[in-house]
Amino acid sequence: DLAGRLWVNPGEIASNGLDDDGNGYVDDVHGWNARDHNGNVNDTHGHGTAVAGIAGAATDNALGIAGVCWDVRLMALMHSGPDVLPTASSVIELIDYAITQKERGVDIVALNMSLLVVDFSQAFEDALAAAGNVGILVAAAAGNSNLHLEVMPLQPAASDLPNVITVAATDRFDNRADFSNFGRFTVDVAAPGKEVPTS
């Protein structure tokens, strides 16, 4: 369902160990892995694949689910894994990658950030602002710990930048999901996030 939706870097030759297109990243055929600093973006956790499926799984093929975006290309940006939590530096590396590609002509509209970083980082905030400066929207998950984001201002959810939209989760009755983080001044919108099929 996702194979045909993945973004392909037309200037890169897979697995030859070279930076064929001269963008500073080796073998970045479908995106970038900031955990291992290479082009291997195979999902070792499952969360990224699930979110990508909700966004852009192929439609009308009698397989699994249909993504909400019917004509989309997905750039794979990997920051962590089942044994590694996201850090500000790893996410900044991916934002920088997206900005580089945007400046090289790739039509990047938005970054999905289903992640939270606990320790505030001004560099992270600056990277989010830099994405906005080149026209990239950031859709930031509010998070799943039933926390008040104005008491515990986690990034990027608590960012007040104009290009960051923080999204809380709702249940089937359009109420806030019991696990969803919240905040009157930090959360911008809510969307279905409980009992959502991902395959």
Side-chain angles (χ1 to χ4, degrees):
D1 255 8
L2 291 175
R5 302 296 196 189
L6 288 177
W7 170 76
V8 177
N9 184 347
E12 199 70 24
I13 299 170
S15 303
N16 68 351
L18 300 174
D19 178 15
D20 301 291
D21 62 354
N23 69 352
Y25 301 88
V26 174
D27 290 337
D28 58 320
V29 176
H30 297 296
W32 191 246
N33 177 338
R35 183 188 68 182
D36 301 322
H37 311 289
N38 61 36
N40 180 4
V41 291
N42 290 324
D43 187 1
T44 58
H45 186 257
H47 181 61
T49 299
V51 172
I54 293 168
T59 59
D60 294 328
N61 62 2
L63 293 174
I65 64 168
V68 296
C69 300
W70 288 21
D71 185 19
V72 68
R73 287 291 171 265
L74 301 167
M75 178 182 287
L77 301 175
M78 183 173 173
H79 60 76
S80 60
D83 56 341
V84 182
L85 293 174
T87 63
S89 61
S90 65
V91 182
I92 291 167
E93 183 175 336
L94 296 176
I95 295 171
D96 289 345
Y97 178 83
I99 291 171
T100 296
Q101 296 301 70
K102 177 84 171 184
E103 292 175 338
R104 292 171 66 91
V106 179
D107 184 23
I108 299 175
V109 175
L111 294 174
N112 175 76
M113 291 197 182
S114 298
L115 59 95
L116 292 171
V117 174
V118 175
D119 296 323
F120 178 82
S121 164
Q122 186 58 52
F124 188 5
E125 202 75 2
D126 293 344
L128 293 168
N133 290 339
V134 297
I136 299 176
L137 179 74
V138 175
N144 301 331
S145 302
N146 192 29
L147 295 174
H148 194 311
L149 290 170
E150 278 121 48
V151 176
M152 179 74 72
L154 304 170
Q155 287 177 290
S159 175
D160 195 31
L161 293 167
N163 65 309
V164 177
I165 297 176
T166 300
V167 186
T170 58
D171 62 20
R172 67 173 69 189
F173 303 106
D174 207 26
N175 297 314
R176 180 177 69 88
D178 53 6
F179 56 78
S180 181
N181 292 351
F182 57 94
R184 180 176 180 184
F185 302 106
T186 47
V187 171
D188 299 294
V189 68
K194 189 172 184 179
E195 302 173 308
V196 176
T198 58
S199 61

